[in-house]
Amino acid sequence: MKERYDFNEIEPKWQKYWSEMKLHAADNETSKEKFYCLEMFPYPSGKIHMGHIRNYTIGDVIARYKRMRGFNVLHPMGWDAFGLPAENAAIEHDLHPAKWTYDNIDYMKRQLNRMGLSYDWKSEIATCNPEYYKWNQWFFLRLYEKGLAYKSPSFVNWCSPCDTVLANEQVVDGKCWRCDNTVIQKRLEQWFLKITAYAEDLLRGCDELKGWPERIVSMQKNWIGKSEGVIVDFPIETIAEKIRVYTTRPDTIFGATFVCLAPEHPLSERLVKDRTSLKTMQSKSGEAADKEGLPTGHYATNPLTNEKIPIYVASFVLMEYGTGAIMSVPAHDQRDFEFAQIYNLPIKVVIVSEDSSGELQAISNGSISEAYEDAGIVVNSGQFSGLESEDAKREIGKYIEDKGYGEKAINYKLRDWGISRQRYWGTPIPIVYCDKCGTVPVPEGDLPVILPEDIDFSGKGGSPLAVSEEFLRVNCPRCAGEAKRETDTMDTFVDSSWYFVAYCLKGGSEPQSESINLQSAIHNSQSTINYWMPVNQYIGGIEHAVLHLLYSRFFTMVMKELGILNLTNPFQNLLAQGMVCKETWRCHKHDWLSPEEVTDNRCMHCGEVAQKGRVEKMSKSKKNVVDPDVLIKKYGADTVRLFSLFAAPPERDLEWSDKGVEGAYRFLNRLWRSIYSHRGLKTEVKGHEIIEPIMHNRSPNASSLLRKTHQTIKKVTNDIEKDYHFNTAIAALMGLMNDISASETETREDRDVRDFAIKQTLLLLAPFAPHISEELWEIVGEKDSIFKHPWPTWNESLAKEEKIELVVQINGRLRSKIVVTAGLSDEDAKQKALQEPKIKKLLDGKMIKKVVAVRGRLVNIVISDR
């Protein structure tokens, strides 16, 4: 055994051992208490980054800790493997997306194993595997049967020169990322999932997310966006039609001076004569900064004022929200105000602040510089003038209903989920089109619809599925006549909306047979699925706070209705870990610089002074990344793990520090040297339980170390259990290690306590730095893996301090500290404080007004001069 800490030898040794012994495999025994720990699975982009390292290390500590606490732990890993980057790589490197993806999976899996992460690899999934995406197709068919999957026209990003649809990520400053030509909006038939049918359920479900960060719950609620208002009909003067408008501010309706339609609104086509201008506007619809309007030449009637107001088509009005039409109140909506100024439209004030009687005349004269959007007192509103805004909303809403002008309504910002992607690398949608039978779902027995891999892939001219005759041509499942397959593939969010259940189909059991009927597979696996679900701890980035989590909740509700699950919230507890950040460098000639390109604050390429920028999220584009492979090669996986856990609490951003990494490495070396020198310890181990030294006459040194050991067990346990504050847990372990190193071992009892403390330290450290803990556990004489031993427990009486410092204040200012016996009553603490010589001197000649004691640890004496 080497005296030097050699992580290159130690870490592969134990990784091989864990794999051979299957120490991380979930158990088939469903009578045991389970714990399902899951980190959001990665896209196989080629290499893991430090954000991955932090995320997965957090999950690994939790999983290892829970195993040591006796839980049956499912800790799986898989690959979110479909998506656009694989297509881009195929174009760039002239290789198939499948090869690029699977090569990356192999490499990243080796990286994860090199980190010593305790995954149950028999549960591994890859969403690009037909055995996985057949379930995407199965869910689609069930949703289609329930009327929750439908096809409807929608606008997509379209590049005409490339003859293809672009994802939002491929549109850069309004231009195609590949050819740099302007991208337009094109109307295509798209598949949608009717998530809006679950809007109220999803909103109510937010109140059950007790283990989620409040910020994320709030983001979910805001995205669903429930609002209460009224729908009002504005009759069109020239045709027998009405414009239906939804508003949450009926108190401002007397100030509506024009109406705006979304470019895609059905009435826009009928009212606008200039079709070319309308088509152009449709291609730019929804651009937030664009206040472009198109006058229709038609007028509508404001039903409450009976005034004729102009109708415009406006690029900022979204067909997807409300009714696709808005009443515009420029005095009380800033966007409407700016639009009115551009097109010289009237502005009418109908709300003023309660204390603005002096400025009412000026406002009414139209001399306002911006919209007043707050609540206030209603003016210029007929019989409703003088009411407060909230009262006016209620009274005007009732008036609109009573007069038959409209009705009260509830609206949601949540839109149906468009899942169609005119891409290749995704799940084929299991639909067939037959001239005779129409739209026909693929029979369940024919799943999966396989994504063909023997295709020519250029990235131009739309999806290659549309020109693959072998894929496209098929017999109709109903009439056996000629038919065509759907060539759109599914949004990759579908893959990740139920994958946590896919792990349960494998977790604790052998993978399902490929030939098994899907419905039978679900039925046979139901008890296993409901044993493991919900995920007890889910871990991932804040960037997934809305869509992924919302879609997962939606799918879970559907799965409950299908009888697959017996719950509606898939994730019991959610931890949104912070980002990994690092300082940036920039040269005015060579743009972003990596730290290696900066010497003495100068750019190595041109010698000019480099500007040190902000600390920002690690990003390849800003060259402030750190390669985990380089770190592991230099310091070992345990050092990288320890630093990523110690540098900041999990929910906070981690600021990178080379010195911090060095510090973690030095600590592990000190640990090694200190414990290696005590190899072959004699402390007994029986029945997986370390027998605590029993001593009647402990020396002060032994008593102090024993007390510190029990305090550390309590501290580390509580820090893990409460909010996963690993940084303070590690700090406590470092403190205990310092005390062990400094301890004197003059007697046998001293040595017993020291040996006991060493073994407790290794057990506590094991989830954080598993390799070195395993090796040192073996060195000190243990034969079984450290992870086969239970988590230590503390003795409350032994953890108590025998002596403490009693803090004494006078009028809130620290005046003295007294060493006293721990556990003093507040009255005894007061007496000790008043009798202390220094305090007695300071109190001489002063009037004591009161004396306050806090838990026998602090006394504050309030005095005044006589």
Side-chain angles (χ1 to χ4, degrees):
M1 194 65 63
K2 295 183 179 179
E3 295 187 26
R4 185 176 62 86
Y5 170 45
D6 186 354
F7 57 81
N8 283 316
E9 178 183 314
I10 293 167
E11 292 179 351
K13 167 189 170 181
W14 288 106
Q15 289 160 12
K16 181 181 178 184
Y17 174 82
W18 297 329
S19 178
E20 290 175 348
M21 299 300 293
K22 296 182 171 56
L23 285 189
H24 308 143
D27 200 325
N28 285 321
E29 183 51 67
T30 57
S31 62
K32 294 175 64 176
E33 186 174 2
K34 66 91 180 180
F35 191 90
Y36 187 177
C37 181
L38 182 63
E39 303 98 61
M40 294 179 185
F41 63 170
Y43 181 79
S45 57
K47 296 182 73 175
I48 59 174
H49 53 67
M50 286 307 303
H52 289 132
I53 293 286
R54 190 182 190 202
N55 184 358
Y56 304 150
T57 303
I58 290 169
D60 193 59
V61 171
I62 296 169
R64 289 181 180 275
Y65 167 75
K66 289 294 182 178
R67 288 192 194 99
M68 295 177 77
R69 293 299 301 263
F71 288 85
N72 187 16
V73 174
L74 176 60
H75 186 215
M77 177 48 72
W79 312 96
D80 192 7
F82 274 140
L84 187 61
E87 294 193 21
N88 293 343
I91 297 167
E92 183 179 351
H93 303 296
D94 191 27
L95 71 145
H96 196 281
K99 177 171 175 48
W100 184 83
T101 299
Y102 282 110
D103 285 349
N104 288 348
I105 286 174
D106 289 343
Y107 186 81
M108 291 176 70
K109 186 173 179 178
R110 289 195 297 272
Q111 286 185 297
L112 296 180
N113 283 328
R114 184 64 186 86
M115 279 296 299
L117 301 169
S118 61
Y119 291 126
D120 182 358
W121 285 110
K122 76 172 183 297
S123 299
E124 182 183 10
I125 58 173
T127 60
C128 63
N129 188 319
E131 283 304 301
Y132 182 89
Y133 66 70
K134 70 181 179 184
W135 292 100
N136 288 351
Q137 296 168 344
W138 185 86
F139 280 120
F140 179 90
L141 294 177
R142 301 289 81 78
L143 290 164
Y144 185 79
E145 290 170 359
K146 292 166 64 70
L148 296 172
Y150 66 93
K151 204 168 191 183
S152 179
S154 181
F155 283 84
V156 296
N157 301 314
W158 182 262
C159 176
S160 297
C162 293
D163 190 29
T164 190
V165 173
L166 301 177
N168 289 335
E169 296 87 348
Q170 293 176 307
V171 181
V172 181
D173 297 328
K175 296 182 183 296
C176 173
W177 70 287
R178 187 182 296 121
C179 70
D180 204 36
N181 279 287
T182 300
V183 174
I184 64 171
Q185 296 289 296
K186 185 175 182 179
R187 194 177 182 88
L188 292 179
E189 290 283 319
Q190 306 278 289
W191 282 97
F192 290 86
L193 299 184
K194 199 171 181 60
I195 191 174
T196 53
Y198 293 77
E200 190 62 33
D201 291 334
L202 288 165
L203 186 62
R204 279 199 302 267
C206 288
D207 295 332
E208 300 172 8
L209 306 177
K210 305 300 184 184
W212 290 33
E214 289 184 12
R215 179 170 61 141
I216 291 180
V217 175
S218 178
M219 292 168 73
Q220 293 258 311
K221 289 180 177 179
N222 291 336
W223 189 265
I224 296 167
K226 182 179 181 179
S227 63
E228 297 182 3
V230 294
I231 289 177
V232 191
D233 291 327
F234 285 69
I236 301 175
E237 187 179 26
T238 50
I239 60 175
E241 293 281 359
K242 296 176 180 179
I243 298 174
R244 303 217 86 191
V245 167
Y246 173 78
T247 179
T248 60
R249 293 294 303 271
D251 56 322
T252 67
I253 194 169
F254 283 85
T257 58
F258 57 100
V259 176
C260 289
L261 302 174
E264 304 83 29
H265 195 290
L267 287 171
S268 296
E269 295 277 353
R270 296 180 61 184
L271 299 179
V272 175
K273 293 180 180 179
D274 186 351
R275 297 301 177 86
T276 301
S277 296
L278 180 61
K279 292 293 183 185
T280 301
M281 184 176 290
Q282 287 175 342
S283 73
K284 300 187 289 184
S285 176
E287 293 181 13
D290 196 346
K291 301 295 188 298
E292 185 179 352
L294 193 61
T296 66
H298 294 265
Y299 290 80
T301 301
N302 184 327
L304 271 71
T305 66
N306 209 34
E307 295 173 349
K308 307 301 179 188
I309 59 177
I311 303 170
Y312 276 74
V313 176
S315 59
F316 60 81
V317 181
L318 301 177
M319 190 64 216
E320 294 81 10
Y321 183 70
T323 63
I326 63 169
M327 67 175 203
S328 293
V329 186
H332 305 294
D333 182 283
Q334 187 61 27
R335 181 193 55 194
D336 293 345
F337 176 80
E338 294 168 4
F339 189 92
Q341 287 192 316
I342 293 171
Y343 293 98
N344 197 28
L345 294 166
I347 298 173
K348 181 181 177 182
V349 172
V350 292
I351 304 284
V352 294
S353 58
E354 292 190 49
D355 59 351
S356 64
S357 56
E359 62 181 271
L360 176 57
Q361 184 65 38
I363 292 176
S364 298
N365 288 338
S367 57
I368 61 173
S369 58
E370 61 182 9
Y372 176 74
E373 296 181 320
D374 295 334
I377 302 298
V378 173
V379 297
N380 299 327
S381 299
Q383 69 199 65
F384 305 102
S385 295
L387 293 176
E388 293 186 357
S389 292
E390 289 304 314
D391 294 332
K393 286 180 184 179
R394 183 173 59 255
E395 293 300 321
I396 294 175
K398 183 176 183 300
Y399 181 82
I400 287 169
E401 279 199 313
D402 291 345
K403 289 292 185 179
Y405 299 150
E407 65 272 348
K408 292 178 182 177
I410 292 175
N411 193 55
Y412 299 90
K413 287 194 294 185
L414 180 67
R415 299 296 91 197
D416 281 341
W417 175 9
I419 65 162
S420 282
R421 297 293 181 269
Q422 291 72 36
R423 317 300 316 169
Y424 163 69
W425 193 235
T427 299
I429 294 175
I431 290 290
V432 169
Y433 300 106
C434 173
D435 290 340
K436 180 180 177 181
C437 304
T439 301
V440 182
V442 173
E444 181 183 318
D446 292 344
L447 299 182
V449 176
I450 298 289
L451 186 69
E453 295 192 6
D454 55 340
I455 50 95
D456 293 324
F457 190 82
S458 68
K460 294 186 177 182
S463 169
L465 296 180
V467 294
S468 172
E469 289 294 317
E470 184 178 348
F471 175 82
L472 191 64
R473 303 295 175 182
V474 67
N475 292 331
C476 173
R478 287 182 184 164
C479 70
E482 291 185 359
K484 292 182 178 180
R485 289 195 188 279
E486 171 64 72
T487 59
D488 284 357
T489 54
M490 295 186 197
D491 177 15
T492 55
F493 271 120
V494 174
D495 305 334
S496 59
S497 292
W498 69 276
Y499 80 109
F500 40 88
V501 173
Y503 290 129
C504 300
L505 291 169
K506 292 183 172 186
S509 63
E510 293 304 313
Q512 296 289 342
S513 165
E514 293 186 9
S515 61
I516 195 168
N517 174 274
L518 298 182
Q519 191 71 48
S520 298
I522 286 288
H523 177 75
N524 295 338
S525 301
Q526 248 180 316
S527 61
T528 302
I529 292 171
N530 284 300
Y531 166 71
W532 287 115
M533 289 296 292
V535 175
N536 298 96
Q537 184 64 62
Y538 197 39
I539 307 161
I542 191 71
E543 66 270 20
H544 299 296
V546 177
L547 293 182
H548 163 58
L549 294 173
L550 190 71
Y551 294 154
S552 296
R553 293 176 59 217
F554 164 57
F555 255 71
T556 300
M557 290 177 179
V558 171
M559 284 188 276
K560 183 177 182 182
E561 292 179 357
L562 293 173
I564 299 169
L565 292 173
N566 56 16
L567 48 82
T568 56
N569 174 25
F571 311 122
Q572 182 180 14
N573 296 292
L574 175 67
L575 172 61
Q577 94 277 357
M579 298 181 294
V580 180
C581 304
K582 195 175 189 296
E583 65 187 16
T584 54
W585 289 90
R586 203 166 194 174
C587 170
H588 73 279
K589 288 183 179 180
H590 295 94
D591 204 21
W592 299 104
L593 302 172
S594 67
E596 293 75 24
E597 294 174 299
V598 179
T599 305
D600 295 329
N601 293 342
R602 292 186 177 275
C603 172
M604 64 174 288
H605 305 291
C606 63
E608 297 286 340
V609 174
Q611 298 299 316
K612 188 175 183 179
R614 296 183 303 169
V615 173
E616 299 187 44
K617 177 184 177 181
M618 284 190 179
S619 163
K620 289 181 181 178
S621 63
K622 294 181 179 177
K623 294 189 174 183
N624 65 334
V625 296
V626 175
D627 187 344
D629 286 349
V630 173
L631 281 177
I632 293 169
K633 185 176 180 180
K634 184 175 181 180
Y635 297 106
D638 280 343
T639 294
V640 178
R641 290 170 61 109
L642 204 65
F643 169 75
S644 67
L645 297 166
F646 181 61
E651 72 280 4
R652 300 282 297 275
D653 288 350
L654 183 158
E655 185 174 337
W656 186 263
S657 166
D658 293 331
K659 291 182 178 178
V661 178
E662 290 280 358
Y665 183 60
R666 286 196 301 271
F667 167 71
L668 292 180
N669 275 276
R670 285 199 306 273
L671 175 81
W672 178 271
R673 289 192 299 271
S674 177
I675 295 181
Y676 185 83
S677 65
H678 301 303
R679 56 194 178 278
L681 305 183
K682 302 301 182 183
T683 308
E684 286 187 82
V685 177
K686 291 183 180 178
H688 289 186
E689 201 171 298
I690 294 180
I691 307 302
E692 185 178 312
I694 300 173
M695 295 162 287
H696 300 290
N697 299 306
R698 292 192 298 263
S699 69
N701 176 69
S703 296
S704 176
L705 183 57
L706 186 62
R707 181 167 55 252
K708 182 62 174 284
T709 302
H710 282 275
Q711 289 174 344
T712 305
I713 296 170
K714 180 179 181 179
K715 170 69 174 170
V716 173
T717 304
N718 289 340
D719 282 350
I720 295 176
E721 288 284 352
K722 185 180 179 182
D723 300 326
Y724 301 130
H725 281 177
F726 304 132
N727 57 323
T728 53
I730 293 168
L733 283 169
M734 291 177 173
L736 177 57
M737 197 61 237
N738 289 338
D739 283 11
I740 292 172
S741 299
S743 64
E744 298 175 0
T745 53
E746 297 176 358
T747 67
R748 175 178 167 275
E749 287 79 9
D750 290 342
R751 289 193 294 274
D752 285 345
V753 171
R754 180 206 61 199
D755 294 354
F756 171 74
I758 286 173
K759 291 192 176 182
Q760 300 300 293
T761 299
L762 292 176
L763 287 166
L764 295 172
L765 184 65
F768 304 100
H771 307 91
I772 193 172
S773 299
E774 282 275 34
E775 185 71 12
L776 289 172
W777 187 250
E778 183 180 73
I779 285 173
V780 298
E782 299 299 337
K783 293 181 172 55
D784 278 342
S785 165
I786 195 170
F787 293 105
K788 290 185 177 182
H789 288 268
W791 187 254
T793 57
W794 72 90
N795 183 312
E796 191 64 50
S797 63
L798 291 174
K800 285 183 179 178
E801 289 282 358
E802 294 181 1
K803 298 288 185 180
I804 63 167
E805 279 190 329
L806 174 65
V807 175
V808 184
Q809 298 175 338
I810 297 178
N811 288 349
R813 295 181 65 184
L814 176 65
R815 291 303 187 186
S816 182
K817 292 181 180 179
I818 313 169
V819 177
V820 298
T821 303
L824 279 182
S825 68
D826 284 350
E827 284 303 315
D828 288 342
K830 291 178 186 178
Q831 291 303 315
K832 289 281 186 182
L834 292 170
Q835 294 302 316
E836 204 275 327
K838 181 180 178 182
I839 297 299
K840 289 178 71 174
K841 185 176 180 181
L842 291 170
L843 293 177
D844 187 34
K846 303 293 191 297
M847 179 182 292
I848 299 175
K849 297 177 70 175
K850 63 178 177 179
V851 181
V852 180
V854 181
R855 296 194 298 274
R857 289 179 171 270
L858 181 146
V859 174
N860 184 35
I861 304 166
V862 182
I863 65 172
S864 63
D865 294 328
R866 293 185 184 274

